[in-house]
Amino acid sequence: MDCEPLHLVLVSTPIGALGSGRGGGVELTLASLVRGLLGRGHQLTLVAPEGSRSPQPSPSLHLETVGGVDQPSWQHAEHQAPVTIPADGLLPRLWDRALALAGEADAVLNFSYDWLPLWLTPRVQQPLFHLVSMVSVAQVMDQQIADLARWDQRRLAFHTQAQANDFALPAPARLVGNGFDLGAYSFQARADGPLGWAGRVAPEKGLEDAAAVAAALGETLLVWGVREDEDYAQRVEAGVPAGTIEWRGFLPTKALQQQLGQCRALINTPKWNEAYGNVVVEALACGVPVVAYNRGGPGELVQHGRTGLLVTPDDVDALRGATVEVASLERRHCRAWVEANASQEVFAQRVEAWIRDGLVARDGSIA
């Protein structure tokens, strides 16, 4: 690395301890980026909820944990919902600690999709950067992202263009994709295994459509992920013949990739505009082609006819047909795409370049 290493303070999501799975894809993103940045020689301080596990043992990584009540997720809020911070809230405590630690750092990188850190950005001396993890879900968040973009859009980065298109940005979006520790994913050449589905078990993930496909084909669908909405999970299971769904739960990466890699296809059925699609890339890294709705991030990740098949969103018949056809694809193409586009090394390089660009003074100041 030609430039001097950076000292960065990273602030985790205020929804669940790292390693619990409750933070969803943000946990995987943060862990991958930590490893990638450490590999590039940077000094990191990670501020995370109490009970969090360090993504990577390293003398260059210091973990600070903070207690408090989890922040409600914007993902399940009404579009007109106001900002809510609970008593003894974890979110302000995370940021109180992060700003106290940031005096000696070059920048602070925020992973949470929350109003408070966005609002703080033009009001504090420390340079704050935000890797936006979700799409438009609430008016107050849309407004805050738009306001910050007008102040200095260099402080914002997005995973995909489909995600960035949800927001009112005055300039082209900074896209950094995502990254994965490919050493943790083994390529598996077999193409005759079961069908798989992975993600938080919640209505916006569309598990019922994948279950319907498996039922129509008379097959079992392996399902990995936290059952976030238990009533929804039970409704999906009741809607298909007994035995159609085999619940595998939330697994750490090593166990997940061993099981997922045996699948002949991953079915991805988002009912909303996914910002990226981590499970899509995890499957591809194992050599598993993906059948997905052409909606949001997955529509940009899957190379139609090469690493998977894309179908019209919510067309279950088309999804079923593609699931039958997808086994003919060459699985090595799936792994090759991930190596070229979504390794943790490539991801860390993109994020580092974004932060360095944002730290360059503009017209005599940061903004």
Side-chain angles (χ1 to χ4, degrees):
M1 185 172 60
D2 296 331
C3 300
E4 286 292 318
L6 296 170
H7 177 194
L8 302 174
V9 175
L10 279 54
V11 188
S12 181
T13 171
I15 303 174
L18 289 176
S20 70
R22 294 189 56 233
V26 173
E27 287 191 39
L28 190 150
T29 299
L30 191 153
S32 295
L33 184 57
V34 163
R35 289 189 289 266
L37 291 173
L38 288 173
R40 294 182 59 77
H42 300 297
Q43 184 75 31
L44 308 179
T45 299
L46 174 58
V47 183
E50 200 169 60
S52 292
R53 298 193 296 269
S54 176
Q56 179 74 31
S58 170
S60 296
L61 172 63
H62 175 64
L63 176 64
E64 288 267 344
T65 61
V66 177
V69 177
D70 278 14
Q71 183 71 11
S73 174
W74 282 104
Q75 191 163 13
H76 306 299
E78 297 293 332
H79 188 68
Q80 302 295 330
V83 174
T84 301
I85 298 178
D88 301 320
L90 179 58
L91 178 63
R93 292 185 179 183
L94 284 172
W95 280 94
D96 187 52
R97 181 70 62 84
L99 294 177
L101 293 167
E104 302 295 323
D106 294 295
V108 180
L109 177 54
N110 168 46
F111 288 83
S112 66
Y113 189 89
D114 285 293
W115 179 88
L116 178 61
L118 294 167
W119 181 84
L120 283 171
T121 304
R123 295 170 171 85
V124 298
Q125 183 177 0
Q126 299 93 332
L128 310 186
F129 292 79
H130 308 271
L131 179 52
V132 181
S133 61
M134 294 189 349
V135 295
S136 169
V137 291
Q139 185 178 33
V140 67
M141 286 297 296
D142 293 353
Q143 185 63 57
Q144 197 59 53
I145 289 172
D147 289 347
L148 183 54
R150 285 193 298 271
W151 181 77
D152 189 348
Q153 192 176 313
R154 297 178 302 162
R155 303 298 190 90
L156 298 167
F158 302 84
H159 292 293
T160 62
Q161 188 62 55
Q163 175 200 15
N165 288 343
D166 257 15
F167 302 101
L169 305 175
R174 185 76 179 236
L175 306 180
V176 296
N178 212 340
F180 299 78
D181 177 6
L182 298 189
Y185 298 87
S186 300
F187 174 78
Q188 298 192 41
R190 64 172 296 180
D192 59 349
L195 299 174
W197 185 97
R200 290 179 299 100
V201 181
E204 66 272 10
K205 296 293 187 176
L207 172 59
E208 67 271 22
D209 289 1
V213 167
L217 297 176
E219 298 192 45
T220 298
L221 179 70
L222 308 186
V223 175
W224 296 274
V226 174
R227 287 171 64 147
E228 185 176 89
D229 187 326
E230 186 60 33
D231 289 342
Y232 168 74
Q234 292 179 17
R235 289 197 304 272
V236 172
E237 188 168 31
V240 292
T244 298
I245 295 177
E246 184 176 317
W247 302 102
R248 294 291 180 94
F250 174 78
L251 299 179
T253 297
K254 182 178 180 179
L256 172 64
Q257 63 89 28
Q258 288 174 341
Q259 297 180 23
L260 177 58
Q262 297 175 23
C263 291
R264 76 171 186 277
L266 176 81
I267 304 177
N268 186 251
T269 50
K271 294 292 185 178
W272 71 323
N273 183 18
E274 290 275 7
Y276 187 72
N278 285 341
V279 296
V280 169
V281 181
E282 290 188 279
L284 296 176
C286 298
V288 179
V290 177
V291 179
Y293 287 150
N294 191 4
R295 171 185 280 144
E300 295 181 27
L301 302 176
V302 175
Q303 293 179 296
H304 182 72
R306 186 172 177 84
T307 63
L309 296 173
L310 297 169
V311 303
T312 301
D314 307 321
D315 188 337
V316 178
D317 288 338
L319 192 70
R320 182 179 66 248
T323 301
V324 173
E325 297 173 14
V326 76
S328 64
L329 299 182
E330 174 53 60
R331 290 168 71 97
R332 292 192 181 277
H333 292 160
C334 301
R335 175 72 181 201
W337 182 90
V338 178
E339 290 174 348
N341 296 278
S343 70
Q344 66 184 19
E345 292 80 13
V346 169
F347 183 40
Q349 289 173 15
R350 292 183 187 133
V351 171
E352 179 187 331
W354 159 48
I355 292 174
R356 289 192 187 279
D357 287 348
L359 289 173
V360 174
R362 186 180 67 184
D363 295 331
S365 68
I366 186 67

